[in-house]
Amino acid sequence: MKENKFNLKKVGNFLINNGVVILIIISAIIVGVDNPNFFGKYNIKNLLMNVSVRAVIAFGIAAVLIMRNNDLSAGRQVGFAGCIAATLLQKADYVQKVYPNLPPLNMWLVCALLMIGFALTFGLINGLVVSKMHVPAFIGTYGMQTVIYGICLVYTGAQPIGGLIDKYTDWAAGSFLGLDFVPNLGVVALLVGLFIWFLFNHTPFGKKMYAIGGNPNAASVSGINIDRMTILSYMLAAALFALAGFMLGAKAGGTSAALAAGYELFAIAGCTIGGVSTNGGIGKVSGIIIGVLVFEILKIEMQFVGVDVAYTYVVQGIVIVIAIALDIRKYIARK
Amino acid sequence: MSEYVLEMKNICKAFPGVQALNNANLALKAGHVHALMGENGAGKSTLMKCLFGIYKKDSGQIIYQGEEINNRDPFEALNRGIAMVHQELLPIPDRTIAENIYVGRYPVKKIGPIKVIDHKKMYNDAQALLDELNLNFDAHAKLETLTASQMQLVEICKALSADAKIVILDEPTASLTLKEVDKLFEIIRQLTEKGCGVIYISHKMDEILQISDEITIMRDGQYIGTWDASEMTTDMIIEKEVGRELKNLYPPKINTPGEPVFEVKDFCSIHEHSFQHCSFEARDGEILGVAGLVGAQRTELMEAIMGLRGTTSGEVFFKGKKLNIKSPSDAIKEGVTLLTEDRRGSGIFGVLSVADNVGIASVNDYLLYRMMVDQKKINQIVDKSIGELSIKTPSKKTQIQHLSGGNQQKVIISRWLAKDPEVLIMDEPTRGIDVGAKYEIYSIIGRLAKEGKTIIMVSSEMPELIGVCDRIMVMCEGQITGFVEGEDMNQEKIMELSTKFIK
């Protein structure tokens, strides 16, 4: 009898701890039964393409979150990177070309170098502000968010940028080896995921990252240079945001300064639903992927059921708060 | 009504995988001091948490003043007159002493229909309370102007202000000087004279025997028994706590100190009131104790040696070679490691596994292809440590927070042994761990010294220093006031040196 009660408690805890994931999966099944197109080829690919971009952003955010920091400039960094890519990879005969007289260089290379250069600079500044200047990450990166948006507005002249070269947009829309279910973007995200998994679990960087998140004081006494690690984590995150911007620009087929606004919140939500603790020190790559996937499924579900876009924001906001509340609950229960 | 003000009967509480309390009992008489004793993990705090409603008991009865109660939270308990002074204080340093005493229960007065806080009454009452206890504080002073031990006394005032019938003191003397302990005991006597019952939780035997009327001993969540304090001795208590006869508190000495190798020269803090002009030497194979009262700046000096605190001067030499230490990572590279005083705050990585906790300082030492952590090698080290230091853990993947204090401490010692340091600084290595585990830690320290390592052991427990160390350095108010060894190694001499500048 006692044994039985104990198990019930265990099951209950499991349900609560994974509540958000379970609910969304159940609802997906219901929506899928109601409308078989939900599990259709087209929808699945579309879902995977969205998830790919968001997962790459979430991996970046996760590195920062696990160290008890945050990066609210993520979305704007993604957006700016997307704009750089779009301006450099426009069709030669496009009328409203931002740079009509580009020198005959390899634009792919220039684009890559510029994006990497900007990303590392943004990451470095974020890292310096948070570590050396001791500005709380929330405030420091929020300032960065505004700054990058301003730079992006200046850079694009507040105009939308279209006319991207076919090679770029086709690549983003394309499937890997002609497999319908496997978008090229998904392959990129998968490779990034493998890299992040390796980095988090099998390198000194990863071990130190989890240690700092687990207990910064103990990490410091153990000879870990926290400032250096903080800066590196922001630079890693920024590099991933730039990559996500490159992916997103092509997927959207055109960009503007509004690209990816607010994406940091979706990434934070994905991480938290996937078990990255906002208290630091905990988070798995598999969890992040599940979290992002589940959050995206929720959005598409609502589109399928025909919920007004305005309401989807309400639901998403609530889910974020619930996910974090459940995460904190786990932490309190541990005490 | 029975003679007991509080009775806890057959309390049971289970956590996943552990029966934390198994029919625990406690009966407190009004006007008595009742010591609650047991090793760490015996269930003392769990029992108190059940009383305060922090945990919900699975079964059992709590009878308070003749009627059964179940507190939902500590606030409800306080309103019933059950107050607790926690081991770890929860002060609000930026507010005044009076506000800290009355936080959440501010006296109110009415201005028309609006209730406002009656500041005048609050400060008058608080001051009266402080005066009654002969505490020389101004109720208007900010709490941060007090020392940690004075804050503890304010915390006791808080319990008194609630007109408590029962006051629970959890390790109240951990950070008090002898003089302050006397003061505390005086206050406890005042409390009992007023008919208040006191539950006193402590590891310090001499205090228990001095202050308490009855002693209840717990072991592994079970009630062992209650005795009159007058019929108990230290040995009897320990025997009942551990459940076996413990012949020696300290292992036999096996190390022999050699030549002086580690030299600390003229360390001065950037803070005027912290350590100044501290110089000392330690030998290889020596266990050098560091004694002193709270506030003697022992921890601060050790942290400065590790590069954790700002200094205006100070050099460290090992075998005549100057060590260039600006940060803990420099110190570790030079073979000097620090086991910190605050195990939870700066020792363990609670959410990480035992293996990660051991390996974290060594991740750069064992690399494959220059970038990948050689987990196999690290796991070998972890397995070896678990064996050699007999760390009790379900597996090396268990989160360290699920281990007992003593085993956590052994894991952190393993972390440093993995770096094969020459000098191990250990700050309060046995704080808050039980008698059995203490003995094991002493043995480990002795073994390390025998291997020729230099051990610097900071401790607030004089018997421990005398029992384990070859030589003891004494500090008082930031200065080294002397060294004792051989016949001079006794409490009187150490006390004399550690109060040299205290009038």
Side-chain angles (χ1 to χ4, degrees), chain A residues 6, chain B residues 12-22 41 46 58 220-221 402:
Chain A
F6 193 61
Chain B
C12 295
K13 172 75 194 174
F15 292 113
V18 220
Q19 186 73 32
L21 289 177
N22 188 0
T46 313
D58 296 337
D220 301 330
H402 299 305

Side-chain angles (χ1 to χ4, degrees), chain A residues 92-144:
Chain A
D93 53 353
Y94 188 59
V95 190
Q96 290 172 307
K97 215 167 171 244
V98 178
Y99 298 115
N101 301 309
L102 280 174
L105 292 171
N106 183 339
M107 274 312 129
W108 295 90
L109 188 66
V110 175
C111 174
L113 289 177
L114 262 181
M115 287 198 311
I116 292 172
F118 272 109
L120 296 186
T121 312
F122 291 147
L124 180 68
I125 296 173
N126 268 338
L128 286 172
V129 167
V130 171
S131 64
K132 299 287 181 192
M133 290 163 67
H134 304 283
V135 177
F138 252 95
I139 311 292
T141 59
Y142 185 58
M144 194 59 167

Side-chain angles (χ1 to χ4, degrees), chain B residues 21-49:
Chain B
L21 289 177
N22 188 0
N23 289 313
N25 296 301
L26 181 72
L28 173 69
K29 287 179 193 164
H32 277 219
V33 178
H34 197 118
L36 181 59
M37 305 201 68
E39 297 189 282
N40 276 76
K44 294 167 301 192
S45 336
T46 313
L47 185 64
M48 289 302 111
K49 282 178 179 163

Side-chain angles (χ1 to χ4, degrees), chain A residues 230-245:
Chain A
T230 305
I231 293 168
L232 285 177
S233 71
Y234 275 107
M235 289 172 74
L236 168 71
L240 292 175
F241 300 153
L243 175 61

Side-chain angles (χ1 to χ4, degrees), chain A residues 2 6 198 202-204 207-208 210-212 214-215 217-224 280-282 334-335, chain B residues 16 308 328-329 332 340 344-349 351-352 356 360 363-364 367 371-373 375 401 415-416:
Chain A
K2 208 172 178 188
F6 193 61
F198 177 78
H202 290 283
T203 66
K207 294 277 178 193
K208 290 176 184 175
Y210 283 109
I212 292 173
N215 186 344
N217 295 327
S220 161
V221 178
S222 303
I224 297 173
I282 299 178
R334 268 211 308 270
K335 266 195 183 169
Chain B
L308 277 164
S329 64
I332 295 165
T340 57
R344 243 189 308 166
S346 55
I348 61 165
F349 300 98
V351 295
L352 301 191
D356 281 342
I360 187 62
V363 284
N364 283 342
L367 292 182
M371 52 186 271
M372 188 174 166
V373 175
Q375 197 61 45
Q401 60 188 355
R415 179 190 301 162
W416 297 129

Side-chain angles (χ1 to χ4, degrees), chain B residues 337-388:
Chain B
T337 63
L338 171 70
L339 184 82
T340 57
E341 161 189 46
D342 184 359
R343 189 172 58 243
R344 243 189 308 166
S346 55
I348 61 165
F349 300 98
V351 295
L352 301 191
S353 68
V354 169
D356 281 342
N357 267 282
V358 173
I360 187 62
S362 316
V363 284
N364 283 342
D365 301 348
Y366 304 99
L367 292 182
L368 291 172
Y369 318 112
R370 291 176 161 213
M371 52 186 271
M372 188 174 166
V373 175
D374 189 348
Q375 197 61 45
K376 241 190 207 156
K377 266 268 174 52
I378 290 195
N379 282 343
Q380 281 170 8
I381 295 173
V382 175
D383 288 333
K384 197 169 140 234
S385 308
I386 292 178
E388 281 179 4

Side-chain angles (χ1 to χ4, degrees), chain B residues 215-475:
Chain B
I215 298 174
T216 288
I217 294 175
M218 296 178 67
R219 188 201 314 144
D220 301 330
Q222 289 182 343
Y223 173 74
I224 301 300
T226 302
W227 293 269
D228 261 6
S230 54
E231 35 178 82
M232 296 294 276
T233 63
T234 304
D235 288 345
M236 285 162 70
I237 297 175
I238 293 178
E239 202 182 307
K240 294 199 161 59
E241 276 186 6
V242 234
R244 64 192 144 87
E245 208 176 328
L246 207 66
K247 290 227 174 55
N248 295 305
L249 284 176
Y250 307 103
K253 279 213 163 83
I254 49 171
N255 61 311
T256 33
E259 293 299 307
V261 284
F262 185 65
E263 202 180 338
V264 171
K265 266 192 187 159
D266 198 36
F267 262 73
C268 293
S269 165
I270 47 170
H271 300 292
E272 200 183 320
H273 296 294
S274 191
F275 55 88
Q276 295 297 339
H277 303 292
C278 288
S279 304
F280 67 90
E281 282 179 348
R283 304 186 167 97
D284 64 359
E286 181 185 44
I287 306 172
L288 174 68
V290 183
L293 301 176
V294 171
Q297 308 293 322
R298 294 165 297 173
T299 297
E300 288 78 0
L301 175 61
M302 295 306 144
E303 290 183 352
I305 293 171
M306 288 297 289
L308 277 164
R309 284 181 187 258
T311 52
T312 55
S313 75
E315 289 177 312
V316 186
F317 296 87
F318 186 76
K319 291 192 172 159
K321 182 180 147 257
K322 186 174 184 298
L323 305 184
N324 188 10
I325 299 177
K326 290 200 184 68
S327 69
S329 64
D330 294 340
I332 295 165
K333 266 181 222 135
E334 301 278 18
V336 184
T337 63
L338 171 70
L339 184 82
T340 57
E341 161 189 46
D342 184 359
R343 189 172 58 243
R344 243 189 308 166
S346 55
I348 61 165
F349 300 98
V351 295
L352 301 191
S353 68
V354 169
D356 281 342
N357 267 282
V358 173
I360 187 62
S362 316
V363 284
N364 283 342
D365 301 348
Y366 304 99
L367 292 182
L368 291 172
Y369 318 112
R370 291 176 161 213
M371 52 186 271
M372 188 174 166
V373 175
D374 189 348
Q375 197 61 45
K376 241 190 207 156
K377 266 268 174 52
I378 290 195
N379 282 343
Q380 281 170 8
I381 295 173
V382 175
D383 288 333
K384 197 169 140 234
S385 308
I386 292 178
E388 281 179 4
L389 272 55
S390 52
I391 298 170
K392 280 181 217 125
T393 172
S395 90
K396 57 177 173 284
K397 289 191 176 146
T398 309
Q399 286 185 342
I400 194 174
Q401 60 188 355
H402 299 305
L403 269 53
S404 72
N407 284 307
Q408 290 181 354
Q409 197 70 304
K410 289 190 219 165
V411 170
I412 305 177
I413 293 175
S414 313
R415 179 190 301 162
W416 297 129
L417 295 187
K419 297 294 291 183
D420 195 25
E422 296 296 338
V423 180
L424 286 98
I425 304 175
M426 298 188 170
D427 198 351
E428 303 283 1
T430 64
R431 172 174 285 180
I433 64 181
D434 59 57
V435 185
K438 274 185 185 174
Y439 187 90
E440 292 181 54
I441 302 251
Y442 300 144
S443 307
I444 294 168
I445 291 175
R447 236 161 49 213
L448 292 173
K450 188 172 181 245
E451 287 167 20
K453 311 232 182 264
T454 303
I455 314 275
I456 298 172
M457 174 174 163
V458 180
S459 174
S460 298
E461 290 188 37
M462 274 188 273
E464 164 177 293
L465 287 175
I466 294 166
V468 176
C469 299
D470 301 304
R471 202 158 58 103
I472 297 172
M473 169 171 106
V474 189
M475 290 182 70

